[in-house]
Amino acid sequence: MKEKIIIIDFGSQYSQLIARRIREMEVYCEIVPLIDIEKIKNGEEKVKGIIFSGGPASVYEKGAPTVNPEVFNLNLPILGICYGMQLITHLNGGKVEKADSREFGKAVLEVENNDNPLFTGVKKSSNIWMSHNDHITELPTGFEIIAKTDSSIAAITNNNGIYALQFHPEVVHSECGTQILENFVFNICKCEKNWKISSFITEKTKSIKETVGDEHVLLALSGGVDSSVAAVLINNAIGHQLTCMFVDTGLLRKDEGKKVLEYYKKHFDLNIVFVDAKDRFLNKLKGVDEPEAKRKIIGNEFIEVFNEEIRKLKGQEGAKFLAQGTIYPDVIESQSIKGPSHTIKSHHNVGGLPEDLQFELLEPLKELFKDEVRKVGHELGLPDTIIKRHPFPGPGLGIRVIGEVTPDKVKILQEADDIFITELMAQGLYDKVDQAFVTLLPVKTVGVMGDQRTYEYVAAIRSVNTIDFMTATWSKLPYEFLEEVSNKIINKVNGINRIVYDISSKPPGTIEWE
Ligand code: GLN
């Protein structure tokens, strides 16, 4: 059984960052909304230590998130961070109150005693990062102060495995933050470094084989990173017991369907059923120009096609499992903190399946963060062109042809987009931006080509840089590059005579135009 650190999430924007830091130390950890004390006690889960995250609430408010106080009797090391510290204080006889002035940003940590195992190798005085309104006004019973800033208590412990920090060691602005987390994980929790991508692949391959036995598995392959990595991982484990379904909606990038199919057949011997549904999608989109309506039509049509094809396959093979490339952030997002019987929302892909099609889900990547999925893909031999791919929206080019979607417009857009992406790759810029594409506008303008008047469409180039896709800035691509792309598109693509570059950030803009 995998040993792990558990992070109880009280709603901090940094919970995932804490998890990333720990996994970077090659120690497995999970973020949970609630702790299952019984499972830990009876050894069903091998927990080596527990971290309480920060959070927006105040511990003294009614309805503030809390934890079963039994957690303090498990004899496991605990580290509270910010709200986590305040909760430890509140539940152990101390007092937390609103501070006169809130402390936000840089502060200087003064360590009182370097002998404390949490502070091994930590400088006596170093920069840390604070973000709080509340502070401790009375220590919890049996605790002592082990570090301060000039305005607050920065760290406390009861010398019995419980530690708490007012600042955030997980953010880069906390100079000794990584050292402190490492001290907790290795010195105090005595974890071993055993979370490695190669061992993940070996273990997963084995467990997929065991779970599936001689049954069949179905997977909807989109060509994106997650479904590709899941497909190859499962294929390695069970070979042709896996059937991948690839639906060509006619709204994909230029030659995408053909490329995906050839590539996977050739390099991974994947068993792929190719469904050509181009006409169906384009017919349904006739005369529709409202973005939400288009999205709904495309989503519903996808489910319909998928179901029809599944029924055909079910007849032949009777697949018992439906595999999906769900990754850890999807899982965390669907957890609810309200508990005790917390709900896990059904994944959107499964949402539309009819009731008579009963599947068990197979989600081999659901413990991994995106960059870990990429590492797995890399070790499995997937090329960078797949692993480092920019995200592509479900409705595809259907929402990048603004207004009504027609086969002609899709074709024009595919050509223009292909030129832009090919140029980004050729000039080493593709990996420097996070999402790039062309959008075709329903506007015609006048131009001149070879002394002839032209009256054709405007296309917009969009490229953004972002960490989490929640906020984004437009990419500062070199002028010369933009000039080249613009020339190439206007010269080569019939139907476009003007290019504009989108310089809106998100918010207030969105990444896609529709
Ligand atoms: N809401 C608490 C405070 O304001 C905790 C903040 C946090 O965890 N970052 O002090």
Side-chain angles (χ1 to χ4, degrees):
M1 192 195 321
K2 230 177 353 212
E3 59 173 49
K4 62 185 168 194
I5 298 278
I6 275 186
I7 299 161
I8 306 185
D9 182 17
F10 295 109
S12 167
Q13 50 183 324
Y14 301 123
S15 298
Q16 288 202 31
L17 199 53
I18 307 174
R20 296 280 329 116
R21 295 275 174 268
I22 293 175
R23 290 205 186 174
E24 277 159 15
M25 297 171 201
E26 297 177 5
V27 170
Y28 184 69
C29 66
E30 278 177 1
I31 301 174
V32 297
L34 287 168
I35 184 165
D36 193 329
I37 303 273
E38 282 317 306
K39 276 196 184 156
I40 299 175
K41 269 193 186 157
N42 65 26
E44 247 179 89
E45 291 201 22
K46 204 163 160 198
V47 176
K48 300 282 283 182
I50 301 169
I51 295 178
F52 293 1
S53 84
S58 288
V59 287
Y60 47 78
E61 279 167 0
K62 241 182 99 190
T66 185
V67 64
N68 182 344
E70 272 288 303
V71 71
F72 299 111
N73 302 329
L74 286 172
N75 246 334
L76 283 174
I78 295 177
L79 176 68
I81 296 176
C82 205
Y83 184 87
M85 175 200 225
Q86 296 162 0
L87 189 62
I88 289 172
T89 305
H90 185 70
L91 294 174
N92 289 283
K95 196 163 188 179
V96 177
E97 286 176 297
K98 194 167 184 59
D100 289 338
S101 62
R102 63 191 197 133
E103 210 179 5
F104 186 84
K106 199 174 113 178
V108 179
L109 178 76
E110 301 289 348
V111 172
E112 310 255 295
N113 176 1
N114 276 92
D115 295 339
N116 192 290
L118 193 65
F119 290 140
T120 311
V122 173
K123 286 191 281 187
K124 256 209 129 24
S125 167
S126 67
N127 287 332
I128 47 160
W129 201 83
M130 291 276 195
S131 168
H132 66 125
N133 294 305
D134 301 333
H135 66 170
I136 296 179
T137 50
E138 258 171 55
L139 282 181
T141 321
F143 280 72
E144 59 168 327
I145 298 172
I146 49 174
K148 281 184 180 163
T149 65
D150 59 3
S151 57
S152 63
I153 300 173
I156 57 173
T157 178
N158 68 350
N159 284 319
N160 200 15
I162 304 184
Y163 298 84
L165 307 171
Q166 184 58 73
F167 58 96
H168 290 271
E170 68 276 23
V171 304
V172 283
H173 316 284
S174 289
E175 236 181 296
C176 297
T178 306
Q179 180 71 59
I180 293 172
L181 288 174
E182 275 182 8
N183 288 342
F184 179 69
V185 168
F186 297 115
N187 290 356
I188 296 167
C189 299
K190 313 270 184 234
C191 288
E192 279 173 39
K193 292 188 175 224
N194 52 16
W195 171 248
K196 296 207 168 57
I197 292 299
S198 54
S199 43
F200 169 84
I201 295 175
T202 320
E203 280 164 29
K204 261 301 155 206
T205 309
K206 204 170 132 226
S207 82
I208 292 170
K209 269 191 197 139
E210 279 167 14
T211 313
V212 175
D214 44 23
E215 299 288 345
H216 283 266
V217 180
L218 253 178
L219 177 141
L221 185 65
S222 71
V225 185
D226 304 338
S227 73
S228 300
V229 174
V232 172
L233 182 64
I234 298 172
N235 188 62
N236 278 1
I238 58 165
H240 281 191
Q241 282 164 263
L242 169 71
T243 305
C244 299
M245 184 143 44
F246 183 87
V247 180
D248 187 349
T249 58
L251 303 168
L252 304 173
R253 286 194 146 126
K254 187 183 172 187
D255 294 335
E256 176 105 328
K258 221 167 61 199
K259 280 193 212 149
V260 167
L261 200 63
E262 277 166 15
Y263 184 82
Y264 286 107
K265 281 212 163 135
K266 183 156 163 224
H267 293 274
F268 294 99
D269 187 31
L270 282 193
N271 177 16
I272 305 183
V273 175
F274 183 85
V275 184
D276 181 352
K278 284 196 207 77
D279 294 344
R280 287 182 63 156
F281 281 86
L282 290 168
N283 276 336
K284 281 260 156 83
L285 287 169
K286 247 183 218 155
V288 187
D289 60 5
E290 205 278 314
E292 273 314 295
K294 291 200 288 182
R295 280 179 180 268
K296 281 207 186 90
I297 290 172
I298 298 168
N300 292 341
E301 194 61 16
F302 191 88
I303 289 170
E304 219 159 275
V305 171
F306 193 64
N307 288 342
E308 278 176 32
E309 296 298 323
I310 283 179
R311 271 181 223 279
K312 288 186 201 159
L313 289 175
K314 267 230 143 182
Q316 288 163 23
E317 302 179 350
K320 182 173 173 196
F321 296 92
L322 183 69
Q324 299 194 102
T326 314
I327 67 170
Y328 198 43
D330 305 333
V331 176
I332 300 171
E333 261 172 36
S334 57
Q335 283 175 349
S336 124
I337 200 164
K338 305 240 158 51
S341 57
H342 64 267
T343 42
I344 306 286
K345 276 190 228 154
S346 59
H347 200 272
H348 60 274
N349 286 345
V350 213
L353 285 177
E355 288 194 353
D356 64 321
L357 291 172
Q358 296 278 322
F359 287 103
E360 276 179 41
L361 283 187
L362 189 66
E363 301 178 308
L365 308 177
K366 70 165 187 240
E367 295 149 326
L368 305 185
F369 285 104
K370 193 84 177 182
D371 59 314
E372 293 173 320
V373 173
R374 292 203 168 100
K375 282 188 195 147
V376 171
H378 187 75
E379 291 228 10
L380 291 172
L382 281 158
D384 276 1
T385 45
I386 291 179
I387 295 173
K388 295 194 176 157
R389 232 157 188 250
H390 293 170
F392 186 70
L397 302 187
I399 54 155
R400 290 183 182 169
V401 169
I402 307 305
E404 188 190 354
V405 180
T406 63
D408 287 351
K409 285 184 181 171
V410 171
K411 180 95 182 50
I412 293 174
L413 176 57
Q414 279 175 333
E415 295 299 328
D417 185 72
D418 189 53
I419 292 173
F420 180 38
I421 299 298
T422 308
E423 268 323 291
L424 278 171
M425 286 180 170
Q427 304 207 21
L429 292 166
Y430 185 83
D431 292 342
K432 299 208 165 82
V433 303
D434 298 298
Q435 195 168 346
F437 55 92
V438 178
T439 290
L440 189 70
L441 310 189
V443 174
K444 284 190 168 184
T445 71
V446 174
V448 54
M449 276 174 150
D451 280 342
Q452 300 252 331
R453 177 186 192 268
T454 60
Y455 185 56
E456 287 169 348
Y457 290 116
V458 183
I461 292 178
R462 177 100 163 121
S463 175
V464 295
N465 284 74
T466 170
I467 291 175
D468 53 10
F469 295 90
M470 304 297 284
T471 61
T473 53
W474 56 279
S475 314
K476 312 297 178 293
L477 291 171
Y479 283 167
E480 297 72 25
F481 171 81
L482 291 171
E483 186 176 34
E484 240 182 280
V485 170
S486 161
N487 283 343
K488 276 202 175 148
I489 295 178
I490 294 175
N491 286 335
K492 291 196 178 154
V493 184
N494 270 336
I496 294 176
N497 69 353
R498 191 177 297 272
I499 300 287
V500 293
Y501 188 46
D502 182 351
I503 55 167
S504 337
S505 58
K506 173 183 179 177
T510 48
I511 295 177
E512 299 289 344
W513 281 43
E514 285 198 332

